[in-house]
Every structure is written in structure tokens, then in C-alpha cells.
Amino acid sequence: MKPIKISVTQLRQGMWLVEPTTSWINAPFVYGKSGIIKSAEQIKHIIASGYTEAYYDPARSEPLQSDPCPSAEEHNGAGQTPLAEELCRARDLYFDACSYIKNLMQEKKVGAIEVAELRAFLNEIIQSLHRNFNALLLITTIKKTSDYTYRHSINVAIFSIAFAQFLGLDDDETFDTGMAGLFHDYGKAFVPQEILNAPRSLSLDETSVIRSHVKLGHDNLKDIPWVNSVILDGILHHHERHDGSGYPHQLSGEAISLHGSIISICDVYDALTSTRVYKNAIPPAQAVKKLFTMSGQAWAPGLVEHFIKLVGIFPVGTVVQLSNETTGIVCQQDHKSPLKPTVLVILKKDRPYAPYYLKLAQNDQVSINRVLVPSELASIKSSQFYRMFLDR
């Protein structure tokens, strides 16, 4: 039987991999060693090494015990709860989670909390992503300068869980990756607010204090019984860089955990699309391009490409102007036609318009003209849709 080329996210224990017929020079991201996949650790190593594809021989493979990770159709929302229905639940969950993590960080009492309550929040996030993958991602587009640290922690947890699921990590690892995302900036609770929120460039000493948040978070969590090595590595590694230029330990390559790299990408993506006291936000579509330019330096080659496949070229929450003089919010991807997502139209010629969904992949007459920048979003944020669903 002819070998089949698959994404590394589809690798499963028992698959027999074969060497590609093309040179590694021409196909540097195709895994090149023959043999059977014996463990989940082997799969994680292949993914963390930056490979994006592999060839496997079904005839020589063992019967597979589990299906590949969620398909593009599942992420597109096929068979899921309608977006408008899940948005209401996702909105309430999001704000409750932000209040919860704000209280934990302000009181610095993580060690004293009931872990069952914390697990309940993360499980609700996971369940919401299963009900409708796009709802929580759309809610994360609420960008306010105030309470940035707490909103950012929830956003990174949401994206980390979604990315871990997309990469095919098992339920336990996905949960722990989400937990690490939730607490990746816990150390900032121990950093002086006047440095953390300084609306200016920081001195070298102040930069050193800010960077200390990684070790502060790790050290204040490491002795808590329910905080395991996956969570600790995710926290400790989220500012390390593939080329060794990160901190706190200047790790490089395979020394950086996959969980740390997942959180790192999600951390940078949310930071780029957020307004801070010292910088303006950039549109999600522009942030995706920025991440792509960092591939191979900040993260192992191929890993960012997976994230871009997850969120799309026009990520959920991107505000776009269409060729029919309407404006709307990207609310669902079409992975077969990445330039033609589903858009929730809410303005026509910059005036309020009865909201409706427009699937660009099924409409050849309308296309995306351009992405709106944050300074152009006043009419969107004052619209009835935005007030009803994306704020509380």
C-alpha cells in the first residue's frame, strides 16, 4: 500500500512511519525516520521538533486505538451549539473566570484554594470549546487596558487549551496546559504595580524585575500538591525561545517543553492584540503575520504554522470591511477556504444593520476588502451586538 502523508497532529501510537521519498532539503518539515510510533512521548517529541507532516504505511501499522485530533469540521462548528446560543454562556463564564483569577492573584492565596473549584472553571472552558469552538475565542476579543493581567491570564488559558486540543494532546495534558496558561503570569502578583503598569520604557533594573515574574510564579506554586511538572514547566518555559534568546534560563531547542511553547505562542498572540498602557493593539490578522515571522527563532519551526491553522488567516474576532460596503466580525473559520471565513455582518456603510451571518466560502459575490485597525472600531463597539454579547 502506498504510504499516506498526514499532519503530525494525526499521529497515533501504532502507526508505522516511513522515510519520505524527497530529500530533507526539499522537505525539511517532513519527519524522516522509519519505524513504529511506540508512545505519546514520541509523538510529542516529533511535534516539538517542528515537523509538520509525516508518511505512514497503513498496511504495516497496528490497529489504531483512538481517532485523530478534532477535525477541521469540528473546529468549524459542524454539529455544535449555535454561536449565538453559546455566546451568552461563554460571556458569563469568561467574566466569572476573570473575577475569580483576579481575586486569586490579588490575595496571593492560590495554595489555599479548593482545587475542585479551580478545576471546575477549566472544565467549563473545555466544555464550552466543545459546544462551540468559536464562542470563547470571540469573547477573548474584548480588549480593555484595565485588568489586563487577569483577562490575559484567562485568554491564554483558553487559547492554550484550544491549541493543545488541536495538536492532539490527551485530556490530562490538555487540562494541565490550560492550568499552566491560567497561572503563567501568577508571578506578576509579586511585582510592584508601579513597574508592572508603567506607561513608559522600563530601565534595565525594572526590566529585570518584570522578568523575575517567571521564577516568582514557579517558586510560589511548586510546593502545592496539585501543581505537577507539566504545569510548572509550562510556567517556567513560557518566555524561553527556541534560539536560546529567552529567559530565565536561556533554554533552546528540545530543552523547552511543548507545553511551554504552546503557552508562549498564545501569550504573545494575546499580548499583540491587546491594548496596554504603553502600546496599542494590532488586529488579529496582523498578529498572525507577526507570529509567522518569529517562527524558527522564538519557537520550533512548524509550531506557529499549526497555531495559524487553528486560528485562521483572519482569526475569530477580526473586524473586516467587505466588498458589499458592510462591516462585520469574523466568527468562524473555513479551513478549506482560509481566505473566506464566516462573518457576522452588523454595519452597512458604518451604520447599524440587522445582524446576519455571511458565509464567504459560499458567496462568490462578496469578499474581504480589508481588516479594520483598532482606531476604526468605535462604531463596532457601540453597536447593539457588541453591547449585548461582548460586554457585561
Side-chain angles (χ1 to χ4, degrees):
M1 182 178 291
K2 185 178 180 180
I4 299 173
K5 185 165 71 169
I6 60 173
S7 165
V8 292
T9 62
Q10 296 176 290
L11 292 176
R12 289 295 178 269
Q13 189 171 332
M15 284 184 172
W16 185 282
L17 302 188
V18 299
E19 293 183 16
T21 56
T22 55
S23 165
W24 69 269
I25 297 176
N26 296 323
F29 300 133
V30 177
Y31 186 68
K33 294 182 180 180
S34 295
I36 197 165
I37 295 290
K38 296 181 179 180
S39 68
E41 287 297 320
Q42 187 178 354
I43 295 172
K44 287 195 294 182
H45 177 73
I46 291 171
I47 294 173
S49 297
Y51 295 104
T52 59
E53 296 175 312
Y55 286 89
Y56 95 102
D57 185 346
R60 301 175 70 183
S61 297
E62 299 174 355
L64 301 182
Q65 300 300 312
S66 59
D67 294 327
C69 63
S71 66
E73 286 73 20
E74 288 176 290
H75 282 296
N76 283 346
Q80 293 190 329
T81 302
L83 178 63
E85 179 181 334
E86 184 59 28
L87 267 176
C88 295
R89 284 192 284 187
R91 176 200 61 193
D92 291 340
L93 168 61
Y94 181 84
F95 282 103
D96 288 344
C98 285
S99 297
Y100 185 77
I101 197 68
K102 179 179 181 179
N103 181 57
L104 287 183
M105 292 185 70
Q106 287 183 336
E107 299 296 327
K108 304 181 182 68
K109 61 178 184 180
V110 172
I113 68 168
E114 290 291 336
V115 68
E117 187 177 9
L118 184 58
R119 288 183 179 276
F121 266 114
L122 277 184
N123 280 326
E124 285 190 50
I125 289 173
I126 291 170
Q127 290 165 15
S128 179
L129 288 170
H130 280 307
R131 287 193 298 267
N132 190 299
F133 177 74
N134 301 287
L136 270 176
L137 298 194
L138 184 54
I139 297 294
T140 66
T141 62
I142 305 167
K143 304 294 185 182
K144 293 184 177 180
T145 304
S146 61
D147 288 346
Y148 166 78
T149 297
Y150 316 118
R151 291 174 181 268
H152 176 65
S153 295
I154 299 300
N155 291 353
V156 171
I158 291 169
F159 279 109
S160 296
I161 289 169
F163 195 15
Q165 290 175 335
F166 189 78
L167 292 175
L169 301 190
D170 64 34
D171 291 345
D172 288 340
E173 284 190 290
T174 295
F175 183 89
D176 289 338
T177 302
M179 190 75 83
L182 192 65
F183 288 109
H184 78 287
D185 274 349
Y186 180 60
K188 288 183 177 178
F190 305 91
V191 173
Q193 291 294 306
E194 60 269 22
I195 295 179
L196 193 62
N197 297 318
R200 54 175 172 76
S201 298
L202 299 179
S203 67
L204 290 178
D205 286 343
E206 289 172 327
T207 298
S208 179
V209 171
I210 285 287
R211 290 188 170 191
S212 71
H213 82 272
V214 176
K215 194 168 186 305
L216 285 169
H218 175 273
D219 291 351
N220 279 278
L221 292 168
K222 63 183 177 65
D223 294 326
I224 298 175
W226 51 265
V227 178
N228 59 34
S229 60
V230 171
I231 297 171
L232 290 174
D233 283 348
I235 293 168
L236 195 59
H237 295 172
H238 80 274
H239 277 297
E240 300 288 0
R241 294 295 179 256
H242 185 69
D243 63 2
S245 64
Y247 64 89
H249 297 130
Q250 292 77 52
L251 301 181
S252 63
E254 296 178 10
I256 304 171
S257 68
L258 174 60
H259 314 91
S261 294
I262 288 172
I263 294 164
S264 176
I265 292 173
C266 298
D267 175 43
V268 173
Y269 175 76
D270 188 66
L272 287 172
T273 57
S274 299
T275 297
R276 307 287 296 277
V277 292
Y278 54 84
K279 78 166 190 69
N280 293 322
I282 64 175
Q286 188 176 333
V288 162
K289 293 179 181 179
K290 176 66 175 177
L291 291 180
F292 185 75
T293 67
M294 299 168 69
S295 178
Q297 297 177 341
W299 310 289
L303 197 56
V304 163
E305 286 80 349
H306 284 311
F307 184 77
I308 294 172
K309 287 179 182 178
L310 167 70
V311 300
I313 296 173
F314 297 107
V316 168
T318 300
V319 181
V320 293
Q321 186 181 80
L322 303 178
S323 59
N324 63 353
E325 298 186 307
T326 62
T327 301
I329 304 171
V330 174
C331 61
Q332 184 173 295
Q333 301 300 323
D334 188 310
H335 289 275
K336 294 180 180 179
S337 302
L339 295 177
K340 297 181 177 183
T342 296
V343 176
L344 179 61
V345 176
I346 57 178
L347 300 177
K348 186 174 181 65
K349 296 183 178 179
D350 292 330
R351 300 179 67 85
Y353 197 74
Y356 68 94
Y357 292 103
L358 180 59
K359 294 185 177 182
L360 296 180
Q362 300 176 11
N363 191 319
D364 294 333
Q365 306 302 314
V366 184
S367 59
I368 293 175
N369 272 356
R370 68 185 185 92
V371 173
L372 273 63
V373 298
S375 61
E376 298 177 291
L377 301 186
S379 56
I380 288 283
K381 292 186 176 182
S382 64
S383 69
Q384 182 180 5
F385 171 83
Y386 197 96
R387 293 197 309 271
M388 183 179 301
F389 288 112
L390 300 184
D391 210 345
R392 184 177 76 172

